[in-house]
Amino acid sequence: EDPNANIVSDNDMHTDPLPESPAWTLIKTSTTVPNTYDSPGDILTYSIVITNTGNVSISAVMVTDPGADAGSIMYVSGDDGDNILEVGEMWTYTAQHTVTQGDVDAGFYTNTATSTGTPSGGMLPPATDIETVPGTQNPSWTLVKTSTTVPNTYDSPGDILTYIIVITNTGNVSISA
């Protein structure tokens, strides 16, 4: 008897497509050293890292940060030269923010970076991250009272004495009444 007579063979191939699952992360980190500020004009610096954690490529990647100084969002590294965020790629950007008096008065600065892009398949919501940098507040003031009475004396009831009072904000925060 033939030993191969009962063997059944099937060479039909079936391919199941892999579901398209675009996904990514954005991590924004303060790189300011020390991680604080205390004066208008101080510069806060940030690193923004976008990672493709999905299974499809992402093109037309844009990074926005409404609190970043105009023109300060800069690509640093990660792309292999094709301007497409491929699966597993990590792109790094930097950004900066110049501290305002309002930031000092608030005592902290919080803002959000967002990335948008077009996946090669599926739907992809923007990726965002929020970073807060604490401020150092030092409220202080001085008050100086000086007589402007001329001559600088008095000798009768009803004499009028005049003064100049000068209050100086010697701290780094605004003071209101």
Side-chain angles (χ1 to χ4, degrees):
E1 225 178 278
D2 182 3
N4 293 327
N6 292 331
I7 296 177
V8 177
S9 164
D10 185 3
N11 287 333
D12 186 20
M13 290 186 68
H14 179 76
T15 303
D16 289 324
L18 181 65
E20 295 172 330
S21 299
W24 58 357
T25 61
L26 182 147
I27 298 174
K28 180 177 183 177
T29 307
S30 171
T31 57
T32 304
V33 177
N35 192 33
T36 189
Y37 62 90
D38 62 7
S39 301
D42 286 354
I43 304 293
L44 305 180
T45 56
Y46 299 95
S47 169
I48 301 167
V49 178
I50 302 167
T51 305
N52 184 338
T53 58
N55 67 357
V56 296
S57 297
I58 304 167
S59 61
V61 174
M62 297 280 300
V63 175
T64 58
D65 184 337
D69 294 343
S72 75
I73 299 174
M74 305 294 286
Y75 167 80
V76 176
S77 65
D79 185 21
D80 62 6
D82 62 3
N83 206 26
I84 296 173
L85 183 62
E86 293 160 343
V87 175
E89 263 186 352
M90 290 181 6
W91 290 5
T92 301
Y93 294 80
T94 58
Q96 72 179 35
H97 170 76
T98 302
V99 172
T100 66
Q101 184 61 53
D103 300 334
V104 176
D105 291 347
F108 61 90
Y109 181 72
T110 299
N111 73 336
T112 302
T114 302
S115 61
T116 57
T118 305
S120 60
M123 300 292 293
L124 182 66
T128 63
D129 194 21
I130 297 171
E131 181 70 4
T132 298
V133 177
T136 301
Q137 295 179 313
N138 296 308
S140 68
W141 58 5
T142 61
L143 182 142
V144 176
K145 181 178 178 180
T146 306
S147 172
T148 59
T149 304
V150 178
N152 196 13
T153 79
Y154 64 93
D155 58 10
S156 326
D159 284 353
I160 297 175
L161 304 177
T162 56
Y163 299 93
I164 293 178
I165 299 172
V166 176
I167 298 172
T168 304
N169 183 343
T170 57
N172 70 344
V173 294
S174 300
I175 302 170
S176 61

